[in-house]
Amino acid sequence: MNPQSSRTRLDRRTILTILGPALAYPIAGIDPLLFNLNLAAVAQGLSIPSGSVGLLAGAATLVVAATVLAVGNIGDRVGLKRVLLAGLGANVVVSLASACAPGYGALLVLRFADGLTLATMLGVALALVSACVSSAVRAAALGFVMAVYTVMYGITPLVGGWMVSVLGWRCLFLVSVPFAVAALALTARFVNEPARHGGGHLDILGVSLFGIALLGLVAGLGSLPDGLALPATWVPLLLSTLSGFLLVRHSRRTPRPALDMQLFAQRLFLIAVVGTVAINVFSAGLGTIVGQLGSYVLTLSAQTIGLLYLPGTLLVALGSVIAGRMVSAHTAHPVLVTGLIIVSTSGFVLAATASPVMA
């Protein structure tokens, strides 16, 4: 055995160390995915009017977008492990409460609260994995996390759809609870709190402007189909633009800003951000589209809609292996460009072929 390769492999202790955050990280993705795929069942169960479904569907994601930067900054200062444990515990409580929601108003509030818990997992889990392992095995550790993510992302829609079909829509909120409990126990037992890298006060103004800019942008774009002249459209967009301008100005004048704008001057960083945003917009949008198309147009069961994700999971796993080898043999740039071309092409193909009889 090559001694160098043995040092880059994950041993049992390292796997136990990263397994907790590895289980926590996918929850931030599968929670809104499961909810959107089964939104029709939830709306029918609570008699939610069609005009209110959109806000309910995006409530958690909006909060994640607005608070993930603040969560990352708080984790640097009070401890990544501490923030993740608090988020996991809160997620279990919110999930159980959501399963008992008496009506639309209560569920909407809980979806906003759920977004706060998901932000801790999205903003802290990967950083905790990177901080808890040596540089020699960091790439392998992050690959392990992505493998767990892929498996959970493919299986949980099927499990959630089956539970909704058999037990009703309320059990939908219980799908992620066992994963959150397991992640909580494993993180508390095997993960040591890494050294804190942040210092001083939290840039409250910076994270607030960042959150307002994102919320305004999403709210304005959501109302754009109704007309740009409506206050519900142009007011949030104007607020987002103003907040973005103030955020840039504030970041340039603050010694330790929450978001360092100088990073965007780096070409590779900017490319990575644009690619990540594009891929996440596609994956999140696909979950919503598949759920709405399958429920309202194709009249598929929740279990069948979940089953649609299994082939994609196998392709993701295969594509990850191929992409990893291509990055090692070449560079990340052509692999990312190729992936974005595939994403764009598949979106156009789906749009061109979608029909009420395609089930």
Side-chain angles (χ1 to χ4, degrees):
M1 179 184 295
N2 188 338
Q4 180 65 29
S5 65
S6 65
R7 289 195 297 268
T8 60
R9 293 179 179 178
L10 301 178
D11 56 22
R12 179 177 176 273
R13 175 66 189 183
T14 304
I15 291 176
L16 289 174
T17 300
I18 65 177
L19 185 56
L23 289 173
Y25 179 70
I27 296 176
I30 65 175
D31 181 290
L33 172 65
L34 287 172
F35 186 76
N36 288 333
L37 286 177
N38 297 278
L39 186 59
V42 176
Q44 183 179 2
L46 290 179
S47 301
I48 300 174
S50 58
S52 302
V53 171
L55 178 59
L56 189 65
T61 306
L62 285 174
V63 175
V64 171
T67 60
V68 67
L69 182 63
V71 168
N73 279 262
I74 293 173
D76 287 338
R77 284 160 175 77
V78 306
L80 296 172
K81 176 182 176 180
R82 186 177 300 176
V83 171
L84 183 59
L85 290 177
L88 287 168
N91 181 262
V92 172
V93 174
V94 171
S95 298
L96 295 176
S98 299
C100 303
Y104 168 76
L107 184 58
L108 180 62
V109 172
L110 289 168
R111 292 305 295 168
F112 282 125
D114 188 55
L116 287 174
T117 70
L118 299 181
T120 64
M121 303 171 204
L122 185 64
V124 171
L126 287 183
L128 185 58
V129 170
S130 298
C132 289
V133 299
S134 65
S135 58
V137 297
R138 186 166 296 141
L142 293 176
F144 179 85
V145 175
M146 291 300 103
V148 174
Y149 179 93
T150 301
V151 172
M152 290 178 60
Y153 203 84
I155 293 178
T156 50
L158 178 59
V159 174
W162 174 80
M163 292 179 64
V164 170
S165 299
V166 176
L167 303 175
W169 66 268
R170 291 188 181 275
C171 67
L172 172 69
F173 301 100
L174 306 179
V175 176
S176 63
V177 170
F179 298 108
V181 172
L184 180 65
L186 289 167
T187 302
R189 173 66 178 83
F190 295 105
V191 177
N192 296 322
E193 183 71 79
R196 303 173 190 174
H197 301 289
H201 68 284
L202 175 66
D203 183 15
I204 298 178
L205 179 58
V207 298
S208 299
L209 290 172
F210 178 81
I212 294 172
L214 282 180
L215 285 174
L217 177 63
V218 174
L221 292 178
S223 301
L224 192 58
D226 298 328
L228 183 59
L230 293 178
T233 302
W234 66 264
V235 170
L237 291 177
L238 179 62
L239 183 62
S240 175
T241 303
L242 179 60
S243 300
F245 172 78
L246 294 176
L247 175 62
V248 173
R249 183 180 180 183
H250 168 75
S251 299
R252 290 178 175 177
R253 298 183 177 186
T254 303
R256 294 181 60 89
L259 182 62
D260 189 355
M261 292 298 172
Q262 294 181 356
L263 292 173
F264 292 93
Q266 302 177 18
R267 179 170 172 268
L268 292 179
F269 177 82
L270 185 59
I271 291 174
V273 169
V274 172
T276 302
V277 169
I279 293 170
N280 278 278
V281 166
F282 177 82
S283 60
L286 181 63
T288 303
I289 290 171
V290 170
Q292 301 299 304
L293 179 66
S295 299
Y296 294 111
V297 180
L298 306 181
T299 61
L300 301 177
S301 66
Q303 184 176 357
T304 304
I305 294 174
L307 185 62
L308 292 175
Y309 270 79
L310 279 183
T313 302
L314 298 176
L315 289 174
V316 167
L318 177 61
S320 298
V321 174
I322 296 175
R325 293 179 177 178
M326 290 178 62
V327 170
S328 300
H330 306 283
T331 62
H333 184 269
V335 178
L336 177 60
V337 171
T338 302
L340 291 174
I341 291 174
I342 295 173
V343 165
S344 303
T345 303
S346 64
F348 283 119
V349 169
L350 179 61
T353 59
S355 72
V357 294
M358 67 180 296

